[in-house]
Amino acid sequence: METIFFYLVALVAVVSGFLVVRCQSPVNSALALVNTFFCLAIFYVMLYAPFMAAIQIMVYAGAIMVLILFVIMLLNLGTEAHKRYTHGVVWATISSLLVLLITIFVIKRGRVTGAEGNISDYLIMTEGHTELIGKTLYTQFLLPFEIASILLLVAIVGAVVLAKKDV
């Protein structure tokens, strides 16, 4: 039953990803992207990573999509989305095939390093995913975390300043 559910969710994720690219309206593309994010959250749940699933929904499907919809509505992209560029489709197809060939090459020629970290399955089951991620994030990666938050704040302020027409 899990296999059938996996293939069903995978089919929905692929169709949603295709709709992100093919929808005429940017808002419809954004909604299809939200659906793809929800499918990825389901995959995380199936991999016994509920914290990652919750973060996937809150951060990507919530905050990032609100930001994307804000930018779409701010820039009024609805009128320019109807223009078609056929040369873009050709270059996108060529680029996609090139990325596919490189991925196949790397998978065929690559090998597993065999490196192991200091976090075992027993440690994850006793302490939990969330506590381990929190300890690591706020001890070893505190500076990159704060730098990323400052960069996001500067980007939001910059978007508001650029969007402001007249006071």
Side-chain angles (χ1 to χ4, degrees), residues 13-123:
V14 169
V15 170
S16 296
F18 180 74
L19 288 176
V20 169
V21 179
R22 295 297 299 168
C23 282
Q24 297 274 333
S25 169
V27 176
N28 290 341
S29 291
L31 291 175
L33 189 60
V34 167
N35 194 26
T36 306
F37 288 153
F38 277 117
C39 290
L40 291 177
I42 292 171
F43 289 143
Y44 283 129
V45 170
M46 292 175 71
L47 290 171
Y48 302 106
F51 178 73
M52 290 304 297
I55 292 298
Q56 176 76 24
I57 290 173
M58 287 189 303
V59 173
Y60 288 106
I64 300 296
M65 286 313 302
V66 167
L67 184 65
I68 288 174
L69 286 175
F70 175 72
V71 169
I72 287 171
M73 291 177 187
L74 186 70
L75 297 178
N76 195 13
L77 294 178
T79 57
E80 296 185 21
H82 296 291
K83 295 179 182 177
R84 296 296 237 172
Y85 299 102
T86 55
H87 65 279
V89 173
V90 172
W91 284 110
T93 305
I94 292 171
S95 300
S96 299
L97 289 175
L98 183 64
V99 168
L100 178 68
L101 289 174
I102 291 171
T103 304
I104 290 172
F105 176 78
V106 168
I107 289 173
K108 294 280 186 188
R109 301 283 180 166
R111 58 184 164 81
V112 180
T113 61
E116 293 185 16
N118 56 357
I119 297 176
S120 64
D121 290 338
Y122 176 74
L123 183 63

Side-chain angles (χ1 to χ4, degrees), residues 133-147:
I133 291 172
K135 281 182 181 176
T136 306
L137 184 65
Y138 291 116
T139 55
Q140 295 176 351
F141 297 105
L142 182 63
L143 182 64
F145 179 77
E146 293 298 329
I147 290 172

